[in-house]
Every structure is written in structure tokens, then in C-alpha cells.
Amino acid sequence: MADLMEKITSLAKRRGFIYPGSEIYGGIGGFYDYGPLGTELKYNIKNQWWKFMVRQRDNVVGLDAAIIMNPDVWKASGHVDHFTDPLVECKNCHLRFRADKVGKECSECGGEFTEAKNFNILVETYVGVVEGAKRKTYLRGEITQGVHVNFQNVLSSTRLKIPFGVAQIGKAFRNEITPGNFIYRMREFEQMELQYYIKPDEPEGQKWFSYWKEQRWNWYVSLGLNKQNMRFRDHAPQERAHYAQAATDIEYNAPFGWNEFEGIHHRGDWDLSQHSKFSGKDLSYFDEATKTRFTPWVIETSAGADRATLFFLLDAYFEDGKRVVLKLHPKLAPYKVAVFPLVANKTELVTKARSIFEQLRSLDIVTAWDDRGNIGKRYLAQDEVGTPWCVTIDYDTLTDDTVTVRDRDTTKQERINIGKLGEYFQHKLA
Ligand code: GAP
């Protein structure tokens, strides 16, 4: 099973999903670049998330905060003091590891470890133009704080009433001690988060925590992730992040074990209270209905766009005889359709195929064009990148205006009238 990771890593590079970062310079640990198809796949994941979490709800709005914030934000949020991982160093070869991820001795040389010490994983940066007067701050360690510091801005510029949510997608940075497992643990990654503000009351907290757990689970299942490969895992009190009163992970059964790809956290009033204290600004909420003022609690859903990409890829990978198929949900697949003229050297076929290709593109259906090699090879190439349907324009097309549509998963073929093609795919993608 472990070699599934090698197969996915190699396919990802070969077919343009994901490349090692800065590869021509020897790479850099914990950074990856998305290629043409990976960019489409991750975009589709983020887009589906945004539709489900923001556009389809009355009481959730979006936000796009700056990556770099006033450093006081990170003191208030507790990240300067508490955003640490336990680090040990091998006394012999000086390699460093996360203490909670290693055995008794160094896996490289068998050496003895130092005592564990707390290592802060915020990535430091400096802003300003005057040498010596540059201000130290951090690349955001979670995208969350940009939402909480804008709590009053959002309230006063919208008509939202509690309960309501603010959603955001964006990059976060952590100086992970041991990045690894391909894009699973990186130093630069992308999060998709909802901060949901509720009344500060225990039954409300329980209700929304359960509600969002279920919503998030259902979202993955609706996009084809196999339920058998998913589970919830509640955090024990000692493993919860410094801000969390309760926390559950959604874990995936990866080749390297069950691992988290989304966290649902009950953050209580931690963030708003801390920012109020440190900024001196009132971040409370006045409830018109009860004429009371309170600091809302927060239920957070925090997903990793990269981990979701990795797990959707692993889950979709199948070998079927000589074909490798990515059975990605059509909504996630980088290309929805591939269009082929039966042969590349017959002008009439190519012209007809080109017009069908343009017609599908004009309907916003992401479509690939392939006129290399034979049809069998083209099918294999499209299966490997997860294209759900291939359309072949042949000699019959020129007389009866029908094309062959071949289904990726069943490999079954049917003849469809060109006039109905757009509607046929739109219906399947709805
Ligand atoms: N705001 C809460 C928060 O950041 P987290 O559990 O630390 O919570 C949430 O992170 C999600 O972000 C994780 O479930 C994971 O999907 C993603 N994530 C965290 N660290 C990551 C890393 N080093 N590489 C890739 N994704 C990461």
C-alpha cells in the first residue's frame, strides 16, 4: 500500500499535477508547486467548498485578509507563546525531529536524542524599508486571525445577526520540524476555513459543533470520497490546540496511516476576548432580540486544500488491467471532457471536432483537445488524469451529426447528437 504514495507522487509530476518546489535548484523541504492539472484540481476543490460554505447559505459571507498582519495579532492569539511543537535533536548526527513522531533513537544513525524542547513554528519575516528599523512580524500560521480582527468591520458593513459565519481560503505558513508525506505536511499550504459566531451558551455550542461536523463530513462524501476511508477522531484534552475547548479531526485512511485533513474546533470566546484585551477595542455583540451584550463563541471548520487534494487523488486512484484511472468526481476533475478527431490528417474531421471543442468551451465546460496517436492511447492518457468523458468525431459524424461519448469509469460508449451534447454534459455536471 505504501507504494501508492510513490505512484501518486510520480503521476502528479509526470502529468502536471504537482512538482517539487524550486526543483532545478535542488528543491526546498516542505514546498511544492502545482502544475497545470493540479491547479485546476485544487481550484475545483476550493470552488466547491466556497459554493457549499458561502454561496448556498444566507448567513455566511467571505473575507480575504492579508497574509502579513500586525505582530501584536500573534501575541494576542497566543501563537507567539504557544504555537510550538516538541523538538529533539540527535546528539550524534544533529538531525532534528518532532519528539511526538519518533522512537527512542535516531532513525538515521541510531544516536541518542536530546531532551525535547518547545520549538515555535511561526515563520518570521521583516517588513519596512529602513535597514535596522525593519519590523519583525510573521507569515500567518493560520488564516483564522484575519477573520477575528475584522469581526466589527464585518458586523458594521453587513446586516448579519448571530449566528453567522465568515469564510476564508488562503495560504498559511508553518516552520514544520519534519515536513513530509508529499503535500501532506508542508511549510506553505492553503486552508479553507469557516469561523461561525454563536451565542455564548453550552447547548448552542454543542448544537453547532455537531451541525458543522455533519456538514463537513457530507461535503467530502458528496464529492465522492469513500466513507470507508474517513473517520472522526476527538482530541483528548491534552492534545487540543491552545484555543480549543473541544476538537474533532476528520481523518483519512492514507497509505501512511489515519491522518487529519480537517479540524472542527470549539474556540469559545478565546479569539475575540484576546483581541479585545490586546487591542483595547470592544469586540462584543449586541443582541437586539434580548437586549443583551456578549462576546460570541466561535465554532470553526478548518480544512486543508492541499490535504484534500492529496486524499481525493489517493481515493480516486485505480489500476484496471493496463489502465490507470483517476476516478475523480466530475466536479473535481481538471478536464470534464476531451475531444478527439478520429485522425489528425483529415481536415473535415478536424474542423468538425474543433467546432465541437469550441462549443463545449463556450458553455464553460473545461475541455481538452487531443489529436495525437490513436484513440486507445488517448483514452488511456485521459483516464490517467481523470477526464470523465471523451468525445470522438468520426466519419459517421460528418453524415449524421452524432459523436461517440465514452465514459471513463464504465468505458461504455454511446452515440449522442451534437445538438444535445452541451446539455448532456451540463446535466451530468449539475
Ligand atoms: N485554524 C485552525 C487550524 O489552523 P489546524 O488543525 O492546525 O487548525 C487545520 O489546521 C488544517 O490545515 C489541517 O487539518 C490541515 O488540513 C491543514 N494543515 C495544517 N498544517 C498543515 C501543513 N503543515 N501542511 C499542509 N496542511 C496543513
Coordinates of all heavy atoms in Angstrom, one line a residue, residues 15 322-324 340-342 370-384 390 392 406 411 413:
R15 N 2.3 14.0 -15.0 CA 1.1 14.6 -15.7 C 0.8 16.0 -15.4 O -0.2 16.6 -15.8 CB -0.1 13.7 -15.5 CG 0.0 12.2 -16.0 CD 0.4 12.1 -17.5 NE -0.4 12.9 -18.4 CZ -1.5 12.5 -19.0 NH1 -2.0 11.3 -18.8 NH2 -2.2 13.3 -19.7
K322 N -4.5 -2.7 -17.9 CA -3.3 -1.8 -18.2 C -3.6 -0.4 -18.1 O -2.8 0.5 -18.3 CB -2.8 -2.1 -19.7 CG -3.8 -1.8 -20.8 CD -3.1 -2.0 -22.1 CE -4.2 -1.7 -23.1 NZ -4.0 -1.7 -24.5
R323 N -4.9 -0.1 -17.6 CA -5.2 1.3 -17.5 C -5.1 1.8 -16.0 O -5.4 1.1 -15.1 CB -6.5 1.8 -18.1 CG -7.7 1.1 -17.8 CD -8.9 1.7 -18.4 NE -10.1 1.5 -17.6 CZ -11.0 2.4 -17.3 NH1 -11.0 3.6 -17.8 NH2 -12.0 2.1 -16.5
V324 N -4.6 3.0 -15.9 CA -4.6 3.7 -14.6 C -5.7 4.7 -14.7 O -5.7 5.5 -15.6 CB -3.2 4.4 -14.3 CG1 -3.3 5.3 -13.2 CG2 -2.1 3.3 -14.1
F340 N -11.7 14.4 -29.5 CA -10.7 13.8 -30.4 C -11.3 13.8 -31.8 O -12.4 13.2 -32.0 CB -10.4 12.4 -30.1 CG -10.1 12.0 -28.6 CD1 -10.5 10.8 -28.1 CD2 -9.4 12.9 -27.8 CE1 -10.2 10.4 -26.8 CE2 -9.1 12.5 -26.5 CZ -9.5 11.3 -26.0
P341 N -10.5 14.3 -32.8 CA -10.9 13.9 -34.2 C -10.3 12.5 -34.4 O -9.2 12.2 -33.9 CB -10.1 14.9 -35.0 CG -9.0 15.4 -34.1 CD -9.4 15.2 -32.7
L342 N -11.1 11.6 -35.0 CA -10.6 10.2 -35.2 C -9.2 10.1 -35.7 O -8.3 9.4 -35.2 CB -11.5 9.4 -36.1 CG -11.2 8.0 -36.3 CD1 -11.5 7.2 -35.0 CD2 -12.1 7.4 -37.5
D370 N -7.2 16.5 -28.0 CA -6.1 15.6 -28.2 C -6.2 15.0 -29.6 O -7.2 14.4 -29.9 CB -6.1 14.5 -27.2 CG -4.7 13.8 -27.1 OD1 -3.9 14.0 -28.0 OD2 -4.5 13.0 -26.2
D371 N -5.2 15.2 -30.4 CA -5.2 14.6 -31.8 C -3.9 13.7 -32.0 O -3.6 13.5 -33.1 CB -5.4 15.6 -32.9 CG -4.3 16.7 -32.8 OD1 -3.3 16.5 -32.1 OD2 -4.5 17.7 -33.6
R372 N -3.2 13.4 -30.9 CA -2.0 12.6 -31.1 C -2.3 11.1 -31.0 O -3.3 10.7 -30.3 CB -1.0 12.9 -30.0 CG -0.6 14.4 -29.9 CD 0.0 14.7 -28.5 NE -1.0 14.3 -27.5 CZ -0.7 14.1 -26.2 NH1 0.5 14.3 -25.8 NH2 -1.6 13.7 -25.4
G373 N -1.5 10.3 -31.6 CA -1.6 8.9 -31.5 C -2.9 8.3 -31.9 O -3.7 8.9 -32.6
N374 N -3.2 7.1 -31.4 CA -4.5 6.5 -31.7 C -5.5 6.7 -30.6 O -5.2 7.1 -29.5 CB -4.4 5.0 -32.1 CG -3.8 4.2 -30.9 OD1 -4.2 4.4 -29.8 ND2 -2.9 3.3 -31.2
I375 N -6.8 6.4 -30.9 CA -7.8 6.6 -29.9 C -7.6 5.9 -28.6 O -7.8 6.5 -27.5 CB -9.2 6.2 -30.5 CG1 -9.6 7.1 -31.7 CG2 -10.3 6.3 -29.4 CD1 -10.0 8.5 -31.4
G376 N -7.1 4.7 -28.7 CA -6.8 3.9 -27.5 C -5.9 4.6 -26.5 O -6.1 4.6 -25.3
K377 N -4.8 5.1 -27.1 CA -3.8 5.8 -26.3 C -4.3 7.1 -25.7 O -4.0 7.4 -24.6 CB -2.6 6.1 -27.2 CG -1.7 4.9 -27.4 CD -0.3 5.3 -27.8 CE 0.6 4.1 -28.0 NZ 1.3 4.1 -29.3
R378 N -5.2 7.7 -26.5 CA -5.8 9.0 -26.0 C -6.7 8.7 -24.8 O -6.7 9.4 -23.8 CB -6.6 9.7 -27.1 CG -5.7 10.2 -28.2 CD -6.6 10.9 -29.3 NE -6.0 10.8 -30.6 CZ -6.7 11.1 -31.7 NH1 -8.0 11.4 -31.6 NH2 -6.1 11.1 -32.9
Y379 N -7.5 7.6 -24.9 CA -8.3 7.2 -23.8 C -7.5 7.0 -22.5 O -7.8 7.4 -21.4 CB -9.1 5.9 -24.1 CG -10.3 6.1 -25.0 CD1 -10.8 5.0 -25.7 CD2 -11.0 7.2 -25.1 CE1 -11.9 5.1 -26.5 CE2 -12.1 7.4 -25.9 CZ -12.5 6.3 -26.6 OH -13.6 6.4 -27.4
L380 N -6.4 6.2 -22.7 CA -5.5 5.9 -21.5 C -4.9 7.2 -20.9 O -4.9 7.3 -19.7 CB -4.3 5.0 -22.0 CG -4.7 3.5 -22.3 CD1 -3.4 2.8 -22.7 CD2 -5.5 2.8 -21.2
A381 N -4.5 8.1 -21.8 CA -3.9 9.4 -21.3 C -5.0 10.2 -20.5 O -4.7 10.8 -19.5 CB -3.4 10.2 -22.4
Q382 N -6.2 10.2 -21.0 CA -7.3 10.9 -20.3 C -7.7 10.2 -19.0 O -8.0 10.9 -18.0 CB -8.5 11.2 -21.2 CG -8.2 12.1 -22.4 CD -7.7 13.5 -22.0 OE1 -8.1 14.0 -20.9 NE2 -6.9 14.1 -22.8
D383 N -7.8 8.9 -19.0 CA -8.1 8.1 -17.8 C -7.2 8.5 -16.7 O -7.6 8.6 -15.5 CB -8.0 6.6 -18.1 CG -9.2 6.1 -18.9 OD1 -10.2 6.8 -19.1 OD2 -9.1 5.0 -19.4
E384 N -5.9 8.6 -17.0 CA -4.9 8.8 -16.0 C -5.0 10.2 -15.4 O -4.5 10.3 -14.3 CB -3.5 8.6 -16.7 CG -2.4 8.2 -15.7 CD -1.0 8.2 -16.3 OE1 -0.8 9.0 -17.3 OE2 -0.2 7.5 -15.9
C390 N -14.9 11.2 -23.0 CA -14.1 11.5 -24.2 C -15.1 11.5 -25.3 O -15.9 10.6 -25.4 CB -13.0 10.5 -24.4 SG -11.7 10.5 -23.2
T392 N -15.4 11.4 -29.5 CA -14.7 11.2 -30.7 C -15.6 11.5 -31.9 O -16.7 11.2 -32.0 CB -14.3 9.7 -30.8 OG1 -13.5 9.3 -29.7 CG2 -13.5 9.4 -32.1
R406 N -17.5 8.4 -24.6 CA -17.0 7.2 -23.9 C -16.8 7.6 -22.4 O -16.3 8.7 -22.1 CB -15.7 6.8 -24.5 CG -15.1 5.6 -23.9 CD -13.9 6.0 -22.9 NE -13.0 5.0 -22.6 CZ -12.1 5.1 -21.7 NH1 -11.9 6.3 -21.1 NH2 -11.2 4.1 -21.4
T411 N -16.2 2.6 -19.2 CA -15.6 2.5 -20.6 C -16.7 2.3 -21.7 O -16.4 2.0 -22.8 CB -14.5 1.4 -20.7 OG1 -15.1 0.1 -20.7 CG2 -13.4 1.6 -19.7
Q413 N -19.6 3.1 -24.4 CA -19.6 4.2 -25.4 C -21.1 4.4 -25.9 O -21.8 3.4 -26.0 CB -18.8 3.9 -26.6 CG -17.3 3.6 -26.2 CD -16.4 3.4 -27.4 OE1 -16.9 3.5 -28.5 NE2 -15.2 3.1 -27.1

